[in-house]
Amino acid sequence: MDWFFYGIQQLAFVGNNDLWNLLQFPFMQRAIAGSLLMGLLGGLLGSFVTLRQLSFFSHAVGHAALVGVTLGVILQLNPTWMLLPFTLVFGLVVLYLIDQTDLASDSVLSIVLSGALAIGVILSSLIQGYRGNLMSVLFGDILAIGTTDLVLTLLVLVGSSTFLLLTLRQQILLTLNPAVAQVQGIPVQLYRYAFVVLLSFAVAVAIKAVGVLLVNAFLVIPAATAKLTSDRFMRFLVTSVLFGAISSIVGMLVSGIFNFASGPSIVIVQFFLFVSIFCWTKLSLKVA
């Protein structure tokens, strides 16, 4: 953990002038704001994704979003407006198929993901000429984030926070023991579908920052890192949100200073944070 914050200090020292100059530009200010909002959102929903073992679900939704992105490019529409309805419908359909079949959930997800990804690849081959919009969504380009993207991310964050915090007791019980939650009269199915709606929207808005290929890591790594340091649910939830926000901002600064792609920059910071905390916890256990 000390290594991580030491790295932040070194980064700030080395790139102080460049960073100050970058922060004068509106696009960089929007990128920092967007990374903060998406980091908070990823940490919040990622904590439930990790505990409910939905990481493969978010992975499938993120990769299948290639279809929505490609359709947006073909129809010359903003890919974000295609991503939102597509990820929502895809997430709900997948959950419905899981509930209506006797197949294991990972089998259903693999089948639907493979089919959607194949369709996306075929559609992308139909795009003629410049494919900049498609490539930026695949690998992330938060520097191109606009005011509309910020508003959408803020709305998803506020909606997710409000829903999860107002139903926190039910969400905890549903996460830890769905059978007991059902017996106590909690509308398990309603909450499951509502969470999938929030998760699908989160994936759609996060793709602009980290891209289709890395969006699952954006949700899972901060929560997995927080799980290494927390043995209580509320502490785990708060730590996950903090790790998500901090790693997103640091990754955004790394991206801006060194001219790296925003998605890989954010995820690599999250990865190093996970590795450093993992090593720190292991060393602490050995010393104890």
Side-chain angles (χ1 to χ4, degrees):
M1 191 67 178
D2 293 337
W3 173 91
F4 178 69
F5 287 106
Y6 174 76
I8 297 176
Q9 293 172 355
Q10 289 297 104
L11 175 63
F13 175 76
V14 172
N16 184 51
N17 292 331
D18 292 337
L19 179 59
W20 177 253
N21 292 330
L22 278 173
L23 290 177
Q24 307 306 307
F25 294 100
F27 72 86
M28 191 64 185
Q29 296 169 3
R30 290 193 298 269
I32 295 294
S35 63
L36 174 61
L37 293 176
M38 292 178 188
L40 294 171
L41 180 62
L44 175 65
L45 293 181
S47 58
F48 291 95
V49 167
T50 302
L51 292 180
R52 295 180 184 180
Q53 298 180 344
L54 290 174
S55 57
F56 192 34
F57 184 93
S58 59
H59 174 77
V61 173
H63 279 64
L66 176 62
V67 178
V69 175
T70 308
L71 286 175
V73 175
I74 292 175
L75 299 175
Q76 297 183 348
L77 299 173
N78 186 336
T80 302
W81 295 113
M82 291 299 298
L83 278 174
L84 287 170
F86 181 83
T87 53
L88 173 60
V89 172
F90 181 85
L92 292 176
V93 168
V94 169
L95 186 58
Y96 177 79
L97 289 176
I98 291 174
D99 290 341
Q100 297 301 315
T101 64
D102 295 329
L103 296 173
S105 60
D106 59 342
S107 298
V108 176
L109 287 170
S110 297
I111 293 170
V112 179
L113 168 62
S114 301
L117 192 58
I119 294 172
V121 172
I122 291 174
L123 289 176
S124 66
S125 67
L126 302 178
I127 300 175
Q128 302 296 325
Y130 178 65
R131 302 187 182 188
N133 288 338
L134 178 60
M135 298 305 293
S136 66
V137 177
L138 283 175
F139 299 103
D141 185 15
I142 199 173
L143 293 177
I145 194 170
T147 304
T148 302
D149 299 304
L150 287 177
V151 172
L152 287 174
T153 305
L154 180 61
L155 289 175
V156 176
L157 176 60
V158 171
S160 301
S161 302
T162 302
F163 173 72
L164 292 175
L165 293 178
L166 288 179
T167 61
L168 187 58
R169 177 184 170 277
Q170 294 90 331
Q171 296 295 338
I172 293 175
L173 186 57
L174 177 59
T175 300
L176 300 179
N177 199 325
V180 174
Q182 185 79 49
V183 171
Q184 293 194 1
I186 295 175
V188 173
Q189 285 295 88
L190 176 62
Y191 283 168
R192 286 180 68 229
Y193 277 87
F195 184 78
V196 165
V197 170
L198 296 177
L199 181 59
S200 299
F201 281 149
V203 168
V205 297
I207 282 175
K208 190 66 174 284
V210 295
V212 167
L213 301 180
L214 295 173
V215 68
N216 188 55
F218 183 76
L219 286 166
V220 172
I221 296 179
T225 306
K227 201 168 185 295
L228 295 175
T229 65
S230 311
D231 55 2
R232 295 184 179 181
F233 186 86
M234 285 306 300
R235 181 181 176 184
F236 162 67
L237 183 62
V238 173
T239 307
S240 177
V241 171
L242 288 176
F243 284 163
I246 293 172
S247 59
S248 295
I249 293 176
V250 175
M252 193 62 254
L253 296 178
V254 170
S255 173
I257 292 173
F258 298 106
N259 197 28
F260 295 155
S262 58
S265 298
I266 293 173
V267 172
I268 199 67
V269 169
Q270 293 176 341
F271 173 74
F272 281 130
L273 176 60
F274 173 83
V275 171
S276 59
I277 289 183
F278 175 80
C279 294
W280 175 64
T281 53
K282 288 297 182 181
L283 289 175
S284 299
L285 288 175
K286 287 183 178 180
V287 172

